[in-house]
Structures are given as structure tokens and as C-alpha cells.
């Protein structure tokens, strides 16, 4: 078997060395974690769905002119990506109050925000990813002021596009988390969208019923997480090859 060099293993993904310099392979695992790893389960098939949903969204955002790390999907669980130096920030965009902002500001979940709000959290598990200001970010050198400008501009455009996309399939984009990285090419460095965008990192509520179609089903022990993710993929028009009822017998796997 071909042994690949593992560069990094996170909660939901593994990064392997890619076939060319400057590339990596991003592998989506079935692990679901919450509350900084205090809750952990294996959800059969989650990695396959997130790989496909993230591919779909990164391709659409790329077409829109947002530079991303995505190159191509390799198989059910893996995609080829550009290597980046991750900027240690979780960039959160919110349209409707939910989760930590609802708690922090005493807002009822589901209250529309006066306008979209961008927040930054410093990526540090040992600190539970604390909320930080733009001044923290530039003072500590996590990103430069021009990088932060690019990040803000891209975050707002991504929110505009994705809100419309999901509205068109009967889903409200409540909030989401994205990450960016620096791509070095010759003497140039640019900030590009990295990581993933999937129901693990977005809050997606059915527009008619407000049913949660995202990872809150796992965080809040609501059950039906895979059905919800499958529903998002189905509405996006994504066909999952091995998405078939259990016990339906073996299928010929294309090589
Ligand atoms: P909140 O701050 O309300 O917990 O989360 C806001 C949004 O960012 C939600 O859509 C949530 O899924 C996403 N988010 C926040 N932190 C993380 C994280 O560590 N991992 C992932 N996958 N998503 C996150």
C-alpha cells in the first residue's frame, strides 16, 4: 500500500502530503466533535457528505472570484488543495442570532440581526477559541491590516452569495465559520479561503419549519444529523454515489 505522509490531523479532517509541491490532500473523517472535543462520536458517512458539500460551495465561490485552496475532488472523502499557512482565526458571519451570540448578548435564538455581523475568534483549543477584536489581531500579528481588509471583503461576499444560494433552496443561512490561509507563490503572498464549508461549520435552518439542518443536531443531542446533512446535499442537487439504503447489497465500485 502507498504510504502517505500525514502532515496534520484535526478533529474532522486529516491533511496528507500532496502529489506536487505546494499541494495537500484533505481527507474528511466521520468524527463529529463538539464543545472542544468533550463530545465525540463517529457518524457514518458524514465525511463523504461534507467532502461533497464543501466541494460544491468552494467551486461556486471560486467561480464568483473568491480565491480558494480547492483544486479538485479526488474521491469520496478526499480533495486536492493548495497548501496554505493557516491564519489562526475563525471568521464567523452571522445573519440571525443563535449559539454564542444569543447567549453572550441575551438575544432570543432566531432574532434577525440588524445587519450581518462579522466576528473573529482566535484559534486556540486550550482557550476555547476566544472572541477577539481587529485590534487584537493586528497587534499580535495574527494578520496584517491589509490581510484583514481582504478577509472582511471576502467574508461579506461569501455571506451574500451563500445566503442567496440557500434561500433559493428553502434554507436560511443563520451563521457560518470560515478560515483563511496565506498562499505563497514565488515572491507573492495572498490570502485565500481554506478549510471547509459544510453543515459542520454553518447553521442552516429550513425556511418554512425552522428545522435545524446542521451540526447543532449533534451538539444538542437532537438526532437525525445524517438525514439533515443528506437533505442539504439533496437540495443543493448533489448526488452521492454510495448514498443508498443499508442492506441493499454490494455494488460494483468504479476504479
Ligand atoms: P457559535 O459561535 O454560535 O458557537 O458558532 C457560530 C457559527 O460558527 C456556527 O455556524 C458554528 O457551526 C460555527 N463554528 C464556530 N466554531 C466552530 C468550530 O470550532 N468548528 C466548526 N466546524 N464550526 C464552528
Amino acid at each position: 500500500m502507498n504510504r502517505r505522509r500525514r502532515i496534520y490531523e484535526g478533529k474532522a479532517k486529516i491533511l496528507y502530503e500532496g502529489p506536487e509541491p505546494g499541494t495537500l490532500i484533505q481527507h474528511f473523517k466521520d468524527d463529529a466533535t463538539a464543545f472542544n472535543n468533550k463530545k465525540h462520536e463517529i457518524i457514518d458517512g458524514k465525511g463523504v457528505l461534507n467532502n461533497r458539500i464543501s466541494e460544491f460551495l468552494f467551486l461556486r465561490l471560486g467561480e464568483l472570484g473568491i480565491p480558494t485552496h480547492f483544486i479538485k475532488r479526488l474521491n469520496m472523502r478526499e480533495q486536492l488543495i493548495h497548501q496554505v499557512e493557516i491564519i489562526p482565526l475563525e471568521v464567523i458571519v452571522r445573519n440571525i442570532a443563535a449559539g454564542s451570540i444569543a447567549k453572550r448578548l441575551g438575544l432570543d435564538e432566531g432574532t434577525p440581526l440588524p445587519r450581518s455581523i462579522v466576528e473573529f475568534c482566535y484559534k486556540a483549543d486550550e482557550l476555547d477559541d476566544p472572541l477577539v477584536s481587529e485590534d487584537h489581531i493586528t497587534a499580535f500579528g495574527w494578520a496584517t491590516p491589509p490581510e484583514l481588509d481582504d478577509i472582511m471583503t471576502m467574508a461579506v461576499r461569501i455571506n451574500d452569495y451563500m445566503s442567496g444560494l440557500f434561500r433559493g433552496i428553502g434554507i436560511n443561512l443563520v451563521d457560518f465559520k470560515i478560515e483563511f490561509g496565506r498562499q505563497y507563490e514565488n515572491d507573492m503572498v495572498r490570502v485565500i479561503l481554506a478549510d471547509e464549508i459544510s453543515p459542520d461549520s454553518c447553521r442552516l435552518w429550513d425556511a418554512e419549519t425552522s428545522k435545524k439542518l446542521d451540526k447543532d443536531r449533534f451538539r444538542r443531542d437532537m438526532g437525525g444529523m445524517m438525514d439533515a446533512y443528506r437533505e442539504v446535499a439533496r437540495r443543493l442537487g448533489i448526488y452521492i454515489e454510495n448514498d443508498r439504503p443499508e442492506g441493499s447489497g454490494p455494488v460494483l465500485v468504479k476504479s
Side-chain angles (χ1 to χ4, degrees):
M1 201 181 123
N2 203 355
R3 282 240 157 253
R4 295 184 296 189
R5 197 155 75 89
R6 190 189 313 214
I7 306 283
Y8 167 84
E9 178 153 6
K11 292 170 206 148
K13 291 188 294 292
I14 305 173
L15 296 178
Y16 295 102
E17 194 171 49
E20 310 281 345
T23 65
L24 295 175
I25 293 169
Q26 175 164 259
H27 176 106
F28 289 76
K29 301 195 287 183
D30 281 342
D31 298 61
T33 65
F35 315 118
N36 204 0
N37 245 345
K38 288 176 197 84
K39 186 172 157 74
H40 179 216
E41 269 175 48
I42 304 291
I43 310 279
D44 203 19
K46 180 175 80 80
V48 172
L49 280 160
N50 281 356
N51 185 24
R52 293 298 301 269
I53 294 171
S54 198
E55 171 197 18
F56 179 92
L57 294 170
F58 272 63
L59 281 174
R60 297 292 92 73
L61 291 168
E63 286 161 9
L64 207 72
I66 304 282
T68 85
H69 75 166
F70 183 85
I71 302 172
K72 66 173 179 178
R73 185 167 62 84
L74 297 172
N75 56 49
M76 300 287 282
R77 287 183 181 276
E78 294 179 332
Q79 39 186 253
L80 185 65
I81 58 170
H82 293 291
Q83 183 163 27
V84 295
E85 176 184 275
I86 284 286
I87 293 173
L89 296 173
E90 294 193 336
V91 180
I92 294 173
V93 187
R94 301 180 184 273
N95 300 305
I96 296 172
S100 68
I101 198 175
K103 210 166 160 187
R104 195 182 330 122
L105 302 183
L107 302 168
D108 286 335
E109 277 213 328
T111 311
L113 297 170
R115 61 171 171 80
S116 302
I117 293 174
V118 181
E119 293 178 344
F120 301 99
C121 293
Y122 177 51
K123 267 169 71 79
D125 279 348
E126 65 283 11
L127 303 173
D128 278 339
D129 301 337
L131 186 71
V132 291
S133 72
E134 295 186 30
D135 217 23
H136 291 119
I137 294 167
T138 53
F140 288 112
W142 299 323
T144 64
E147 286 174 339
L148 207 46
D149 282 348
D150 286 352
I151 288 172
M152 273 297 256
T153 306
M154 285 191 269
V156 169
R157 288 191 66 207
I158 292 167
N159 184 47
D160 286 347
Y161 173 76
M162 291 214 309
S163 295
L165 174 79
F166 281 112
R167 196 176 308 118
I169 55 170
I171 291 173
N172 286 328
L173 178 63
V174 173
D175 56 33
F176 60 94
K177 183 266 299 181
I178 44 181
E179 295 185 23
F180 293 88
R182 293 182 192 96
Q183 184 186 26
Y184 292 91
E185 261 179 346
N186 305 320
D187 285 346
M188 300 285 289
V189 51
R190 63 171 184 166
V191 175
I192 68 176
L193 180 67
D195 195 53
E196 68 172 291
I197 307 179
S198 71
D200 268 10
S201 55
C202 300
R203 284 198 173 90
L204 303 168
W205 294 355
D206 181 88
E208 292 243 308
T209 63
S210 291
K211 181 180 171 183
K212 296 184 197 314
L213 301 171
D214 56 59
K215 194 172 159 188
D216 272 350
R217 300 205 74 83
F218 170 75
R219 296 187 188 103
R220 301 181 187 192
D221 292 320
M222 300 169 81
M225 182 189 187
M226 282 305 292
D227 283 345
Y229 282 35
R230 232 178 261 123
E231 176 67 14
V232 172
R234 191 188 66 74
R235 290 199 206 177
L236 287 170
I238 296 169
Y239 169 72
I240 308 281
E241 297 100 275
N242 80 339
D243 196 24
R244 61 205 185 89
E246 263 181 52
S248 57
V251 282
L252 186 64
V253 177
K254 275 185 253 151
S255 58

